PDB file of all heavy atoms in Angstrom:
ATOM      1  N   VAL A   1     109.046  83.292 100.942  1.00 94.00           N
ATOM      2  CA  VAL A   1     108.429  84.442 100.281  1.00 94.00           C
ATOM      3  C   VAL A   1     108.384  84.147  98.788  1.00 94.00           C
ATOM      4  O   VAL A   1     109.407  83.796  98.196  1.00 94.00           O
ATOM      5  CB  VAL A   1     109.233  85.741 100.515  1.00 94.00           C
ATOM      6  CG1 VAL A   1     108.556  86.915  99.814  1.00 94.00           C
ATOM      7  CG2 VAL A   1     109.384  86.019 101.998  1.00 94.00           C
ATOM      8  N   TYR A   2     107.212  84.278  98.185  1.00 93.00           N
ATOM      9  CA  TYR A   2     107.108  84.028  96.752  1.00 93.00           C
ATOM     10  C   TYR A   2     106.064  84.950  96.138  1.00 93.00           C
ATOM     11  O   TYR A   2     105.204  85.503  96.834  1.00 93.00           O
ATOM     12  CB  TYR A   2     106.787  82.563  96.454  1.00 93.00           C
ATOM     13  CG  TYR A   2     105.536  82.018  97.105  1.00 93.00           C
ATOM     14  CD1 TYR A   2     104.288  82.133  96.481  1.00 93.00           C
ATOM     15  CD2 TYR A   2     105.595  81.376  98.344  1.00 93.00           C
ATOM     16  CE1 TYR A   2     103.144  81.615  97.071  1.00 93.00           C
ATOM     17  CE2 TYR A   2     104.455  80.866  98.943  1.00 93.00           C
ATOM     18  CZ  TYR A   2     103.233  80.984  98.299  1.00 93.00           C
ATOM     19  OH  TYR A   2     102.094  80.478  98.893  1.00 93.00           O
ATOM     20  N   VAL A   3     106.169  85.119  94.823  1.00 93.00           N
ATOM     21  CA  VAL A   3     105.249  85.977  94.079  1.00 93.00           C
ATOM     22  C   VAL A   3     104.598  85.162  92.969  1.00 93.00           C
ATOM     23  O   VAL A   3     105.300  84.488  92.203  1.00 93.00           O
ATOM     24  CB  VAL A   3     105.979  87.194  93.473  1.00 93.00           C
ATOM     25  CG1 VAL A   3     105.009  88.057  92.669  1.00 93.00           C
ATOM     26  CG2 VAL A   3     106.642  88.019  94.570  1.00 93.00           C
ATOM     27  N   ILE A   4     103.269  85.225  92.894  1.00 93.00           N
ATOM     28  CA  ILE A   4     102.514  84.534  91.850  1.00 93.00           C
ATOM     29  C   ILE A   4     102.040  85.573  90.846  1.00 93.00           C
ATOM     30  O   ILE A   4     101.441  86.582  91.223  1.00 93.00           O
ATOM     31  CB  ILE A   4     101.286  83.794  92.431  1.00 93.00           C
ATOM     32  CG1 ILE A   4     101.715  82.836  93.546  1.00 93.00           C
ATOM     33  CG2 ILE A   4     100.546  83.060  91.317  1.00 93.00           C
ATOM     34  CD1 ILE A   4     102.560  81.692  93.101  1.00 93.00           C
ATOM     35  N   SER A   5     102.315  85.337  89.573  1.00 90.00           N
ATOM     36  CA  SER A   5     101.908  86.295  88.547  1.00 90.00           C
ATOM     37  C   SER A   5     100.441  86.100  88.175  1.00 90.00           C
ATOM     38  O   SER A   5      99.816  85.092  88.522  1.00 90.00           O
ATOM     39  CB  SER A   5     102.777  86.153  87.300  1.00 90.00           C
ATOM     40  OG  SER A   5     102.565  84.885  86.708  1.00 90.00           O
ATOM     41  N   SER A   6      99.900  87.053  87.453  1.00 91.00           N
ATOM     42  CA  SER A   6      98.507  86.963  87.010  1.00 91.00           C
ATOM     43  C   SER A   6      98.328  85.792  86.059  1.00 91.00           C
ATOM     44  O   SER A   6      99.199  85.505  85.240  1.00 91.00           O
ATOM     45  CB  SER A   6      98.088  88.269  86.333  1.00 91.00           C
ATOM     46  OG  SER A   6      98.934  88.564  85.243  1.00 91.00           O
ATOM     47  N   TYR A   7      97.215  85.109  86.214  1.00 91.00           N
ATOM     48  CA  TYR A   7      96.803  83.990  85.371  1.00 91.00           C
ATOM     49  C   TYR A   7      97.734  82.782  85.432  1.00 91.00           C
ATOM     50  O   TYR A   7      97.738  81.956  84.520  1.00 91.00           O
ATOM     51  CB  TYR A   7      96.612  84.446  83.917  1.00 91.00           C
ATOM     52  CG  TYR A   7      95.473  85.424  83.762  1.00 91.00           C
ATOM     53  CD1 TYR A   7      95.713  86.765  83.478  1.00 91.00           C
ATOM     54  CD2 TYR A   7      94.152  85.028  83.960  1.00 91.00           C
ATOM     55  CE1 TYR A   7      94.668  87.676  83.370  1.00 91.00           C
ATOM     56  CE2 TYR A   7      93.100  85.921  83.856  1.00 91.00           C
ATOM     57  CZ  TYR A   7      93.368  87.250  83.565  1.00 91.00           C
ATOM     58  OH  TYR A   7      92.330  88.146  83.474  1.00 91.00           O
ATOM     59  N   ALA A   8      98.512  82.663  86.501  1.00 91.00           N
ATOM     60  CA  ALA A   8      99.317  81.458  86.711  1.00 91.00           C
ATOM     61  C   ALA A   8      98.522  80.505  87.601  1.00 91.00           C
ATOM     62  O   ALA A   8      98.247  80.836  88.765  1.00 91.00           O
ATOM     63  CB  ALA A   8     100.646  81.803  87.360  1.00 91.00           C
ATOM     64  N   PRO A   9      98.120  79.340  87.106  1.00 93.00           N
ATOM     65  CA  PRO A   9      97.365  78.396  87.935  1.00 93.00           C
ATOM     66  C   PRO A   9      98.213  77.960  89.128  1.00 93.00           C
ATOM     67  O   PRO A   9      99.369  77.575  88.965  1.00 93.00           O
ATOM     68  CB  PRO A   9      97.105  77.212  86.988  1.00 93.00           C
ATOM     69  CG  PRO A   9      97.305  77.765  85.609  1.00 93.00           C
ATOM     70  CD  PRO A   9      98.349  78.826  85.745  1.00 93.00           C
ATOM     71  N   HIS A  10      97.636  78.021  90.321  1.00 93.00           N
ATOM     72  CA  HIS A  10      98.413  77.664  91.508  1.00 93.00           C
ATOM     73  C   HIS A  10      97.509  77.232  92.647  1.00 93.00           C
ATOM     74  O   HIS A  10      96.315  77.550  92.665  1.00 93.00           O
ATOM     75  CB  HIS A  10      99.278  78.842  91.961  1.00 93.00           C
ATOM     76  CG  HIS A  10      98.470  80.058  92.343  1.00 93.00           C
ATOM     77  ND1 HIS A  10      97.920  80.915  91.422  1.00 93.00           N
ATOM     78  CD2 HIS A  10      98.125  80.553  93.560  1.00 93.00           C
ATOM     79  CE1 HIS A  10      97.279  81.879  92.035  1.00 93.00           C
ATOM     80  NE2 HIS A  10      97.383  81.676  93.347  1.00 93.00           N
ATOM     81  N   PHE A  11      98.109  76.538  93.606  1.00 93.00           N
ATOM     82  CA  PHE A  11      97.392  76.132  94.813  1.00 93.00           C
ATOM     83  C   PHE A  11      98.394  75.593  95.817  1.00 93.00           C
ATOM     84  O   PHE A  11      99.564  75.335  95.491  1.00 93.00           O
ATOM     85  CB  PHE A  11      96.307  75.092  94.503  1.00 93.00           C
ATOM     86  CG  PHE A  11      96.835  73.760  94.032  1.00 93.00           C
ATOM     87  CD1 PHE A  11      96.921  72.681  94.894  1.00 93.00           C
ATOM     88  CD2 PHE A  11      97.230  73.588  92.708  1.00 93.00           C
ATOM     89  CE1 PHE A  11      97.393  71.450  94.460  1.00 93.00           C
ATOM     90  CE2 PHE A  11      97.699  72.365  92.257  1.00 93.00           C
ATOM     91  CZ  PHE A  11      97.791  71.288  93.140  1.00 93.00           C
ATOM     92  N   LEU A  12      97.944  75.406  97.050  1.00 95.00           N
ATOM     93  CA  LEU A  12      98.755  74.811  98.109  1.00 95.00           C
ATOM     94  C   LEU A  12      98.163  73.458  98.473  1.00 95.00           C
ATOM     95  O   LEU A  12      96.945  73.315  98.617  1.00 95.00           O
ATOM     96  CB  LEU A  12      98.780  75.711  99.350  1.00 95.00           C
ATOM     97  CG  LEU A  12      99.540  77.033  99.241  1.00 95.00           C
ATOM     98  CD1 LEU A  12      99.261  77.891 100.472  1.00 95.00           C
ATOM     99  CD2 LEU A  12     101.036  76.796  99.089  1.00 95.00           C
ATOM    100  N   GLU A  13      99.036  72.473  98.632  1.00 94.00           N
ATOM    101  CA  GLU A  13      98.584  71.151  99.058  1.00 94.00           C
ATOM    102  C   GLU A  13      99.491  70.664 100.186  1.00 94.00           C
ATOM    103  O   GLU A  13     100.512  71.281 100.495  1.00 94.00           O
ATOM    104  CB  GLU A  13      98.588  70.171  97.889  1.00 94.00           C
ATOM    105  CG  GLU A  13      99.944  69.912  97.281  1.00 94.00           C
ATOM    106  CD  GLU A  13      99.883  68.923  96.134  1.00 94.00           C
ATOM    107  OE1 GLU A  13      98.780  68.445  95.817  1.00 94.00           O
ATOM    108  OE2 GLU A  13     100.946  68.617  95.545  1.00 94.00           O
ATOM    109  N   HIS A  14      99.099  69.545 100.791  1.00 93.00           N
ATOM    110  CA  HIS A  14      99.850  68.984 101.927  1.00 93.00           C
ATOM    111  C   HIS A  14     100.084  70.059 102.992  1.00 93.00           C
ATOM    112  O   HIS A  14     101.194  70.203 103.526  1.00 93.00           O
ATOM    113  CB  HIS A  14     101.190  68.403 101.459  1.00 93.00           C
ATOM    114  CG  HIS A  14     101.079  67.437 100.325  1.00 93.00           C
ATOM    115  ND1 HIS A  14     100.220  66.363 100.343  1.00 93.00           N
ATOM    116  CD2 HIS A  14     101.703  67.403  99.115  1.00 93.00           C
ATOM    117  CE1 HIS A  14     100.319  65.696  99.207  1.00 93.00           C
ATOM    118  NE2 HIS A  14     101.207  66.304  98.437  1.00 93.00           N
ATOM    119  N   THR A  15      99.043  70.806 103.290  1.00 94.00           N
ATOM    120  CA  THR A  15      99.164  71.902 104.251  1.00 94.00           C
ATOM    121  C   THR A  15      99.301  71.363 105.680  1.00 94.00           C
ATOM    122  O   THR A  15      98.640  70.400 106.062  1.00 94.00           O
ATOM    123  CB  THR A  15      97.935  72.821 104.180  1.00 94.00           C
ATOM    124  OG1 THR A  15      96.744  72.038 104.381  1.00 94.00           O
ATOM    125  CG2 THR A  15      97.853  73.494 102.810  1.00 94.00           C
ATOM    126  N   ASP A  16     100.184  71.985 106.424  1.00 93.00           N
ATOM    127  CA  ASP A  16     100.419  71.597 107.811  1.00 93.00           C
ATOM    128  C   ASP A  16     100.406  72.849 108.676  1.00 93.00           C
ATOM    129  O   ASP A  16     101.441  73.483 108.890  1.00 93.00           O
ATOM    130  CB  ASP A  16     101.753  70.852 107.927  1.00 93.00           C
ATOM    131  CG  ASP A  16     102.037  70.380 109.354  1.00 93.00           C
ATOM    132  OD1 ASP A  16     101.113  70.415 110.194  1.00 93.00           O
ATOM    133  OD2 ASP A  16     103.191  69.982 109.621  1.00 93.00           O
ATOM    134  N   ASN A  17      99.212  73.217 109.143  1.00 92.00           N
ATOM    135  CA  ASN A  17      99.053  74.375 110.027  1.00 92.00           C
ATOM    136  C   ASN A  17      99.750  75.611 109.464  1.00 92.00           C
ATOM    137  O   ASN A  17     100.435  76.343 110.172  1.00 92.00           O
ATOM    138  CB  ASN A  17      99.620  74.058 111.417  1.00 92.00           C
ATOM    139  CG  ASN A  17      99.179  75.062 112.466  1.00 92.00           C
ATOM    140  OD1 ASN A  17      98.069  75.582 112.414  1.00 92.00           O
ATOM    141  ND2 ASN A  17     100.050  75.343 113.429  1.00 92.00           N
ATOM    142  N   ILE A  18      99.558  75.859 108.168  1.00 96.00           N
ATOM    143  CA  ILE A  18     100.274  76.951 107.518  1.00 96.00           C
ATOM    144  C   ILE A  18      99.523  78.267 107.666  1.00 96.00           C
ATOM    145  O   ILE A  18      98.307  78.338 107.469  1.00 96.00           O
ATOM    146  CB  ILE A  18     100.522  76.636 106.019  1.00 96.00           C
ATOM    147  CG1 ILE A  18     101.412  77.719 105.384  1.00 96.00           C
ATOM    148  CG2 ILE A  18      99.214  76.464 105.249  1.00 96.00           C
ATOM    149  CD1 ILE A  18     101.907  77.368 104.004  1.00 96.00           C
ATOM    150  N   GLU A  19     100.261  79.298 108.057  1.00 97.00           N
ATOM    151  CA  GLU A  19      99.725  80.652 108.141  1.00 97.00           C
ATOM    152  C   GLU A  19     100.443  81.517 107.117  1.00 97.00           C
ATOM    153  O   GLU A  19     101.671  81.455 107.002  1.00 97.00           O
ATOM    154  CB  GLU A  19      99.920  81.228 109.550  1.00 97.00           C
ATOM    155  CG  GLU A  19      99.100  80.529 110.611  1.00 97.00           C
ATOM    156  CD  GLU A  19      99.236  81.190 111.974  1.00 97.00           C
ATOM    157  OE1 GLU A  19      99.953  82.215 112.076  1.00 97.00           O
ATOM    158  OE2 GLU A  19      98.630  80.692 112.936  1.00 97.00           O
ATOM    159  N   VAL A  20      99.675  82.296 106.374  1.00 97.00           N
ATOM    160  CA  VAL A  20     100.263  83.106 105.313  1.00 97.00           C
ATOM    161  C   VAL A  20      99.755  84.542 105.358  1.00 97.00           C
ATOM    162  O   VAL A  20      98.671  84.815 105.875  1.00 97.00           O
ATOM    163  CB  VAL A  20      99.963  82.517 103.909  1.00 97.00           C
ATOM    164  CG1 VAL A  20     100.540  81.124 103.760  1.00 97.00           C
ATOM    165  CG2 VAL A  20      98.457  82.511 103.632  1.00 97.00           C
ATOM    166  N   ILE A  21     100.578  85.421 104.817  1.00 97.00           N
ATOM    167  CA  ILE A  21     100.171  86.794 104.542  1.00 97.00           C
ATOM    168  C   ILE A  21     100.120  86.932 103.036  1.00 97.00           C
ATOM    169  O   ILE A  21     101.108  86.650 102.349  1.00 97.00           O
ATOM    170  CB  ILE A  21     101.182  87.811 105.116  1.00 97.00           C
ATOM    171  CG1 ILE A  21     101.255  87.695 106.635  1.00 97.00           C
ATOM    172  CG2 ILE A  21     100.819  89.233 104.694  1.00 97.00           C
ATOM    173  CD1 ILE A  21     102.409  88.478 107.236  1.00 97.00           C
ATOM    174  N   ASN A  22      98.982  87.323 102.512  1.00 97.00           N
ATOM    175  CA  ASN A  22      98.830  87.558 101.075  1.00 97.00           C
ATOM    176  C   ASN A  22      98.604  89.049 100.834  1.00 97.00           C
ATOM    177  O   ASN A  22      97.732  89.656 101.467  1.00 97.00           O
ATOM    178  CB  ASN A  22      97.646  86.776 100.499  1.00 97.00           C
ATOM    179  CG  ASN A  22      97.929  85.288 100.410  1.00 97.00           C
ATOM    180  OD1 ASN A  22      99.065  84.879 100.183  1.00 97.00           O
ATOM    181  ND2 ASN A  22      96.909  84.470 100.601  1.00 97.00           N
ATOM    182  N   ILE A  23      99.387  89.599  99.927  1.00 97.00           N
ATOM    183  CA  ILE A  23      99.206  90.991  99.521  1.00 97.00           C
ATOM    184  C   ILE A  23      98.990  90.989  98.010  1.00 97.00           C
ATOM    185  O   ILE A  23      99.831  90.489  97.260  1.00 97.00           O
ATOM    186  CB  ILE A  23     100.419  91.859  99.891  1.00 97.00           C
ATOM    187  CG1 ILE A  23     100.668  91.790 101.405  1.00 97.00           C
ATOM    188  CG2 ILE A  23     100.199  93.304  99.446  1.00 97.00           C
ATOM    189  CD1 ILE A  23     101.851  92.612 101.873  1.00 97.00           C
ATOM    190  N   LEU A  24      97.858  91.528  97.586  1.00 97.00           N
ATOM    191  CA  LEU A  24      97.469  91.485  96.177  1.00 97.00           C
ATOM    192  C   LEU A  24      97.631  92.861  95.557  1.00 97.00           C
ATOM    193  O   LEU A  24      97.258  93.872  96.148  1.00 97.00           O
ATOM    194  CB  LEU A  24      96.023  91.013  96.055  1.00 97.00           C
ATOM    195  CG  LEU A  24      95.658  89.759  96.884  1.00 97.00           C
ATOM    196  CD1 LEU A  24      94.198  89.395  96.686  1.00 97.00           C
ATOM    197  CD2 LEU A  24      96.574  88.588  96.545  1.00 97.00           C
ATOM    198  N   PHE A  25      98.182  92.891  94.334  1.00 96.00           N
ATOM    199  CA  PHE A  25      98.474  94.174  93.700  1.00 96.00           C
ATOM    200  C   PHE A  25      98.619  93.996  92.198  1.00 96.00           C
ATOM    201  O   PHE A  25      98.786  92.877  91.692  1.00 96.00           O
ATOM    202  CB  PHE A  25      99.774  94.761  94.271  1.00 96.00           C
ATOM    203  CG  PHE A  25     100.980  93.892  94.026  1.00 96.00           C
ATOM    204  CD1 PHE A  25     101.809  94.113  92.934  1.00 96.00           C
ATOM    205  CD2 PHE A  25     101.280  92.843  94.891  1.00 96.00           C
ATOM    206  CE1 PHE A  25     102.908  93.300  92.697  1.00 96.00           C
ATOM    207  CE2 PHE A  25     102.385  92.040  94.663  1.00 96.00           C
ATOM    208  CZ  PHE A  25     103.203  92.270  93.563  1.00 96.00           C
ATOM    209  N   SER A  26      98.566  95.109  91.501  1.00 95.00           N
ATOM    210  CA  SER A  26      98.841  95.130  90.065  1.00 95.00           C
ATOM    211  C   SER A  26     100.323  95.409  89.866  1.00 95.00           C
ATOM    212  O   SER A  26     100.856  96.362  90.429  1.00 95.00           O
ATOM    213  CB  SER A  26      97.997  96.214  89.382  1.00 95.00           C
ATOM    214  OG  SER A  26      98.553  96.568  88.126  1.00 95.00           O
ATOM    215  N   LEU A  27     100.993  94.570  89.067  1.00 92.00           N
ATOM    216  CA  LEU A  27     102.413  94.792  88.816  1.00 92.00           C
ATOM    217  C   LEU A  27     102.631  96.135  88.129  1.00 92.00           C
ATOM    218  O   LEU A  27     103.612  96.834  88.406  1.00 92.00           O
ATOM    219  CB  LEU A  27     102.989  93.668  87.957  1.00 92.00           C
ATOM    220  CG  LEU A  27     104.486  93.767  87.640  1.00 92.00           C
ATOM    221  CD1 LEU A  27     105.313  93.751  88.918  1.00 92.00           C
ATOM    222  CD2 LEU A  27     104.911  92.646  86.697  1.00 92.00           C
ATOM    223  N   GLU A  28     101.714  96.512  87.256  1.00 93.00           N
ATOM    224  CA  GLU A  28     101.826  97.803  86.569  1.00 93.00           C
ATOM    225  C   GLU A  28     101.840  98.949  87.567  1.00 93.00           C
ATOM    226  O   GLU A  28     102.621  99.897  87.443  1.00 93.00           O
ATOM    227  CB  GLU A  28     100.672  97.976  85.584  1.00 93.00           C
ATOM    228  CG  GLU A  28     100.706  99.282  84.810  1.00 93.00           C
ATOM    229  CD  GLU A  28      99.549  99.429  83.838  1.00 93.00           C
ATOM    230  OE1 GLU A  28      98.730  98.489  83.732  1.00 93.00           O
ATOM    231  OE2 GLU A  28      99.459 100.482  83.196  1.00 93.00           O
ATOM    232  N   ASP A  29     100.975  98.875  88.592  1.00 94.00           N
ATOM    233  CA  ASP A  29     100.949  99.915  89.619  1.00 94.00           C
ATOM    234  C   ASP A  29     102.241  99.915  90.428  1.00 94.00           C
ATOM    235  O   ASP A  29     102.786 100.979  90.751  1.00 94.00           O
ATOM    236  CB  ASP A  29      99.757  99.709  90.557  1.00 94.00           C
ATOM    237  CG  ASP A  29      98.429 100.016  89.892  1.00 94.00           C
ATOM    238  OD1 ASP A  29      98.439 100.702  88.849  1.00 94.00           O
ATOM    239  OD2 ASP A  29      97.389  99.559  90.399  1.00 94.00           O
ATOM    240  N   LEU A  30     102.742  98.731  90.765  1.00 95.00           N
ATOM    241  CA  LEU A  30     103.983  98.649  91.529  1.00 95.00           C
ATOM    242  C   LEU A  30     105.139  99.264  90.752  1.00 95.00           C
ATOM    243  O   LEU A  30     105.967  99.984  91.321  1.00 95.00           O
ATOM    244  CB  LEU A  30     104.305  97.191  91.866  1.00 95.00           C
ATOM    245  CG  LEU A  30     105.651  96.945  92.567  1.00 95.00           C
ATOM    246  CD1 LEU A  30     105.714  97.692  93.896  1.00 95.00           C
ATOM    247  CD2 LEU A  30     105.872  95.448  92.781  1.00 95.00           C
ATOM    248  N   MET A  31     105.194  99.013  89.449  1.00 94.00           N
ATOM    249  CA  MET A  31     106.289  99.535  88.638  1.00 94.00           C
ATOM    250  C   MET A  31     106.277 101.066  88.587  1.00 94.00           C
ATOM    251  O   MET A  31     107.317 101.701  88.450  1.00 94.00           O
ATOM    252  CB  MET A  31     106.230  98.958  87.231  1.00 94.00           C
ATOM    253  CG  MET A  31     106.420  97.446  87.172  1.00 94.00           C
ATOM    254  SD  MET A  31     108.007  96.886  87.828  1.00 94.00           S
ATOM    255  CE  MET A  31     109.074  97.265  86.439  1.00 94.00           C
ATOM    256  N   LYS A  32     105.104 101.668  88.726  1.00 93.00           N
ATOM    257  CA  LYS A  32     105.002 103.129  88.704  1.00 93.00           C
ATOM    258  C   LYS A  32     105.679 103.749  89.921  1.00 93.00           C
ATOM    259  O   LYS A  32     106.162 104.887  89.859  1.00 93.00           O
ATOM    260  CB  LYS A  32     103.530 103.559  88.682  1.00 93.00           C
ATOM    261  CG  LYS A  32     102.797 103.244  87.389  1.00 93.00           C
ATOM    262  CD  LYS A  32     101.344 103.667  87.504  1.00 93.00           C
ATOM    263  CE  LYS A  32     100.553 103.300  86.257  1.00 93.00           C
ATOM    264  NZ  LYS A  32      99.114 103.642  86.393  1.00 93.00           N
ATOM    265  N   TYR A  33     105.697 103.019  91.033  1.00 92.00           N
ATOM    266  CA  TYR A  33     106.196 103.586  92.280  1.00 92.00           C
ATOM    267  C   TYR A  33     107.551 103.015  92.710  1.00 92.00           C
ATOM    268  O   TYR A  33     108.158 103.536  93.649  1.00 92.00           O
ATOM    269  CB  TYR A  33     105.188 103.349  93.407  1.00 92.00           C
ATOM    270  CG  TYR A  33     103.908 104.135  93.242  1.00 92.00           C
ATOM    271  CD1 TYR A  33     102.805 103.570  92.601  1.00 92.00           C
ATOM    272  CD2 TYR A  33     103.802 105.445  93.711  1.00 92.00           C
ATOM    273  CE1 TYR A  33     101.629 104.299  92.430  1.00 92.00           C
ATOM    274  CE2 TYR A  33     102.634 106.167  93.548  1.00 92.00           C
ATOM    275  CZ  TYR A  33     101.555 105.590  92.903  1.00 92.00           C
ATOM    276  OH  TYR A  33     100.387 106.308  92.735  1.00 92.00           O
ATOM    277  N   SER A  34     108.010 101.960  92.056  1.00 92.00           N
ATOM    278  CA  SER A  34     109.261 101.334  92.502  1.00 92.00           C
ATOM    279  C   SER A  34     110.498 102.089  92.035  1.00 92.00           C
ATOM    280  O   SER A  34     111.562 101.971  92.640  1.00 92.00           O
ATOM    281  CB  SER A  34     109.322  99.874  92.034  1.00 92.00           C
ATOM    282  OG  SER A  34     109.100  99.777  90.644  1.00 92.00           O
ATOM    283  N   LEU A  35     110.408 102.855  90.955  1.00 90.00           N
ATOM    284  CA  LEU A  35     111.448 103.766  90.494  1.00 90.00           C
ATOM    285  C   LEU A  35     112.844 103.132  90.548  1.00 90.00           C
ATOM    286  O   LEU A  35     113.100 102.144  89.880  1.00 90.00           O
ATOM    287  CB  LEU A  35     111.378 105.061  91.314  1.00 90.00           C
ATOM    288  CG  LEU A  35     110.010 105.783  91.281  1.00 90.00           C
ATOM    289  CD1 LEU A  35     110.012 106.971  92.224  1.00 90.00           C
ATOM    290  CD2 LEU A  35     109.667 106.198  89.871  1.00 90.00           C
ATOM    291  N   SER A  36     113.767 103.706  91.341  1.00 91.00           N
ATOM    292  CA  SER A  36     115.148 103.216  91.360  1.00 91.00           C
ATOM    293  C   SER A  36     115.247 101.781  91.861  1.00 91.00           C
ATOM    294  O   SER A  36     116.242 101.079  91.594  1.00 91.00           O
ATOM    295  CB  SER A  36     116.027 104.122  92.233  1.00 91.00           C
ATOM    296  OG  SER A  36     115.604 104.090  93.582  1.00 91.00           O
ATOM    297  N   LEU A  37     114.233 101.325  92.586  1.00 92.00           N
ATOM    298  CA  LEU A  37     114.258  99.961  93.104  1.00 92.00           C
ATOM    299  C   LEU A  37     114.298  98.937  91.968  1.00 92.00           C
ATOM    300  O   LEU A  37     114.775  97.809  92.147  1.00 92.00           O
ATOM    301  CB  LEU A  37     113.028  99.718  93.986  1.00 92.00           C
ATOM    302  CG  LEU A  37     113.011  98.445  94.848  1.00 92.00           C
ATOM    303  CD1 LEU A  37     114.220  98.408  95.766  1.00 92.00           C
ATOM    304  CD2 LEU A  37     111.721  98.380  95.638  1.00 92.00           C
TER     305      LEU A  37
END
């Protein structure tokens, strides 16, 4: 499990039958709802 920040250049290489779940969001929006978390 990993998190990529905005404007961080990234990619996956040497892929071997990899399946992923990607969830895209604004960190600012997440911070509004994460409260005590």
Side-chain angles (χ1 to χ4, degrees):
V1 180
Y2 56 88
V3 178
I4 305 294
S5 65
S6 58
Y7 295 109
H10 61 282
F11 67 101
L12 291 171
E13 63 180 0
H14 308 308
T15 56
D16 182 13
N17 195 34
I18 186 170
E19 293 184 1
V20 299
I21 297 169
N22 287 327
I23 302 180
L24 313 180
F25 61 95
S26 160
L27 181 60
E28 181 180 358
D29 289 342
L30 175 60
M31 296 300 281
K32 291 178 183 177
Y33 292 93
S34 53
L35 303 175
S36 64
L37 192 57

